[in-house]
Amino acid sequence: MTNLNEYLGGKIFNAKELTPDLKKILLDQGAMQTDATYQIKGERYCRRCLMRLPQKSGKYSYCRHCINLGKISSRDALLITSSDVVFPVQEEYLSWNGVLTSNQQRGVHELLNAFNSHKDHLVWAVTGAGKTEMIFPLIEQALIKQQRVAICSPRVDVCIELFPRLQKVFPKTTIGLFHGKSLERYHLTKIAVMTIHQLIRFEKAFDVLIIDEVDSYPLAGNQMLHQAIKKSKKDMGMTIYLSATPPKKLLQKVEKGQITLTKLYQRFHGHPLPEPHCHLLFKEINFLGINPRLRLKLNQIVNNHQRLMIFFPSISVMEKFAQKLGKYYPTLSFVSVSSLDKKRLEKVQQFREHQVQAILTTTILERGVTFKRVIVLVLNADAKEFSRTSLIQIAGRAGRDKKYFDDEVHYYYRYYNLQIHQACREIRYLNQQVKK
Ligand SMILES: [Zn+2]
């Protein structure tokens, strides 16, 4: 027996992948069948990802943009299932006894206002402001109104961190975690946690779309993913953007009054963001091993048994450094992670559980992860892989715990460039706003 839940909820299927029986059932349930492509001004577009198909070479063309989700050609038809679903009413949705700070309460109030007026909303909250807790009451309101909520991030790691937190506070509500690497098959749930890429598979599916880390790779500047956000939202639905470093385009929309804004300049524990210490290195980092200025810092950290995160611009730089680190500091236990690392989640967990003293990482851990009491170093902070926003996010990994709010952050570089200057200036600016 087919589990219909794996199909319902505004999901897009290539009609040829469904059996005639299943197709009939889904059509009876309100699904819509449509051509897989459509034409505007002589150009052909893909109905699933809304991107333009290449100029026709043969008789049929297919969409290369969303090919990862299965091939769609101009002769295919799509079946888009109904998103009109009635969920059973629950007595209680949110089960959380945490206390919100007055700033967070203001944010909740502003979010609920936006929800009630069907307006898109941006939450600009410094790293560690506690933005996740702020969305709980909003999700609760949506659930009470029988609405469906999707919480999306461009980053798998962020989704994986978020999922258990939501399960804990909405214990009786169905929640799904869907991303390219997960084994869980899609099924209809009231709350869906997923990567932005997954949204391409949906049309008019969600009443409330919460987009976390809206400025981060690969969402930033990606037309297909931005279109997927618009397309997967219901006509009367709303989108909430969460970011510590919002992109200019969103701030311009705020200025034009198209979306409303909540600003949170203060971390939940009320202490300022750690301001980075800047170190100009006169020699290459790999000159004769490890640069002496850096070594001084490392000696202090290793001798004091302090916990350490080191960020690198690339895997190759990280790997070379890891070898030297192991040689100079044989007593230092550490792991290194990157986007290509299959054991990344386990290694992050090892660091979290204090099984190792240090974690070496690329920008993959620049956001969405929280550790207590950790010194943060960025090597080659002037490298092109570190933007202003990633340097701010990385600095935000430090000082997240109330007791250890003043963790140190150090940027090491050979050229003091614009991104370093802007990151330091913005962190100082945010801290000054709190004092005002
Ligand atoms: Zn496509």
Side-chain angles (χ1 to χ4, degrees):
M1 181 66 192
T2 312
N3 181 0
L4 271 190
N5 271 346
E6 290 179 2
Y7 297 87
L8 295 176
K11 189 136 194 273
I12 303 172
F13 294 92
N14 193 333
K16 70 182 179 195
E17 288 162 7
L18 306 171
T19 63
D21 284 351
L22 180 57
K23 230 159 78 178
K24 187 173 177 313
I25 296 172
L26 294 174
L27 287 167
D28 286 346
Q29 299 249 0
M32 170 180 72
Q33 184 155 336
T34 174
D35 291 341
T37 62
Y38 58 93
Q39 236 171 333
I40 298 177
K41 292 181 184 163
E43 301 276 13
R44 194 160 277 284
Y45 293 84
C46 169
R47 174 80 190 240
R48 182 167 63 187
C49 71
L50 309 182
M51 296 298 283
R52 192 161 58 86
L53 266 66
Q55 290 296 338
K56 227 178 193 178
S57 48
K59 203 172 177 189
Y60 301 109
S61 47
Y62 66 91
C63 180
R64 293 195 172 100
H65 300 281
C66 62
I67 189 137
N68 289 347
L69 309 177
K71 197 168 171 179
I72 277 186
S73 87
S74 52
R75 66 183 149 168
D76 287 330
L78 300 181
L79 201 93
I80 305 168
T81 60
S82 168
S83 57
D84 264 342
V85 191
V86 182
F87 291 103
V89 177
Q90 294 172 214
E91 270 180 26
E92 183 195 53
Y93 291 93
L94 180 61
S95 165
W96 184 64
N97 343 325
V99 181
L100 295 169
T101 64
S102 60
N103 278 325
Q104 284 174 313
Q105 280 170 18
R106 170 175 53 83
V108 167
H109 182 70
E110 288 166 354
L111 274 165
L112 291 176
N113 273 348
F115 175 72
N116 290 326
S117 52
H118 303 276
K119 231 170 166 192
D120 290 350
H121 191 84
L122 166 66
V123 176
W124 180 0
V126 296
T127 53
K131 58 186 160 65
T132 309
E133 292 85 355
M134 273 172 39
I135 60 170
F136 294 162
L138 173 96
I139 297 172
E140 183 188 32
Q141 282 308 308
L143 295 173
I144 289 170
K145 291 196 167 169
Q146 287 282 303
Q147 297 188 351
R148 219 171 147 220
V149 181
I151 302 156
C152 307
S153 166
R155 303 217 163 197
V156 178
D157 302 62
V158 175
C159 293
I160 292 172
E161 282 242 346
L162 205 56
F163 179 62
R165 290 178 72 183
L166 289 166
Q167 278 186 315
K168 210 172 160 190
V169 297
F170 294 102
K172 291 176 186 159
T173 305
T174 51
I175 310 180
L177 172 65
F178 312 114
H179 55 81
K181 288 174 195 146
S182 101
L183 297 173
E184 186 173 351
R185 273 174 81 103
Y186 168 77
H187 56 278
L188 186 66
T189 52
K190 290 185 192 173
I191 301 175
V193 182
M194 56 174 110
T195 50
I196 310 269
H197 269 102
Q198 296 298 318
L199 287 178
I200 298 168
R201 301 174 189 270
F202 295 89
E203 188 172 308
K204 294 185 182 172
F206 302 102
D207 301 276
V208 175
L209 256 182
I210 300 169
I211 310 292
D212 197 7
E213 309 290 357
V214 59
D215 57 297
S216 103
Y217 176 84
L219 178 59
N222 185 318
Q223 190 194 355
M224 178 171 68
L225 295 180
H226 278 283
Q227 289 180 158
I229 293 172
K230 271 192 207 150
K231 181 193 60 150
S232 56
K233 186 185 76 166
K234 285 188 186 171
D235 290 338
M236 288 300 288
M238 73 175 304
T239 311
I240 291 156
Y241 301 97
L242 309 176
S243 178
T245 42
K248 264 195 191 131
K249 265 193 178 170
L250 267 183
L251 293 172
Q252 282 164 354
K253 282 189 177 176
V254 171
E255 272 173 30
K256 287 180 193 156
Q258 292 164 345
I259 60 176
T260 47
L261 171 71
T262 293
K263 277 187 195 172
L264 261 105
Y265 289 136
Q266 198 164 33
R267 295 194 133 183
F268 80 94
H269 51 47
H271 297 288
L273 296 159
E275 289 180 18
H277 301 268
C278 290
H279 307 274
L280 180 70
L281 301 179
F282 295 107
K283 294 166 184 165
E284 277 281 5
I285 277 168
N286 60 5
F287 182 78
L288 291 177
I290 299 175
N291 184 284
R293 282 193 82 176
L294 178 60
R295 220 181 306 162
L296 218 60
K297 187 82 222 163
L298 287 170
N299 289 345
Q300 177 212 320
I301 292 169
V302 174
N303 292 337
N304 294 337
H305 306 285
Q306 289 164 298
R307 279 156 56 74
L308 170 69
M309 273 185 106
I310 313 181
F311 286 84
F312 297 86
S314 69
I315 298 174
S316 61
V317 174
M318 178 172 78
E319 281 173 350
K320 274 186 212 150
F321 192 87
Q323 282 179 1
K324 288 176 214 152
L325 197 65
K327 216 167 87 190
Y328 272 110
Y329 302 100
T331 57
L332 176 75
S333 55
F334 65 88
V335 286
S336 53
V337 297
S338 73
S339 59
L340 301 179
D341 195 333
K342 289 200 176 88
K343 291 193 176 154
R344 185 168 83 236
L345 301 175
E346 291 161 52
K347 289 179 178 175
V348 168
Q349 196 55 27
Q350 276 183 334
F351 181 63
R352 180 165 291 134
E353 289 171 1
H354 293 234
Q355 289 174 25
V356 289
Q357 192 183 341
I359 188 163
L360 278 53
T361 176
T362 59
T363 55
I364 189 77
L365 294 187
E366 75 179 25
R367 56 183 84 213
V369 289
T370 298
F371 304 110
K372 283 181 184 178
R373 197 178 193 182
V374 60
I375 294 179
V376 174
L377 308 186
V378 184
L379 303 196
N380 294 16
D382 48 347
K384 65 177 186 331
E385 289 83 355
F386 294 118
S387 60
R388 168 186 67 86
T389 54
S390 57
L391 288 175
I392 294 171
Q393 291 282 356
I394 289 169
R397 296 312 102 205
R400 296 177 80 94
D401 192 67
K402 202 173 186 168
K403 257 163 95 187
Y404 310 105
F405 63 89
D406 57 352
D407 286 337
E408 292 170 27
V409 178
H410 299 269
Y411 295 162
Y412 291 90
Y413 48 84
R414 291 198 69 204
Y415 302 99
Y416 182 78
N417 60 9
L418 197 63
Q419 71 210 31
I420 299 171
H421 174 70
Q422 286 178 336
C424 295
R425 197 181 56 184
E426 189 163 327
I427 293 169
R428 267 198 309 274
Y429 169 81
L430 292 166
N431 282 340
Q432 282 162 2
Q433 297 311 302
V434 179
K435 289 180 201 151
K436 276 182 184 169

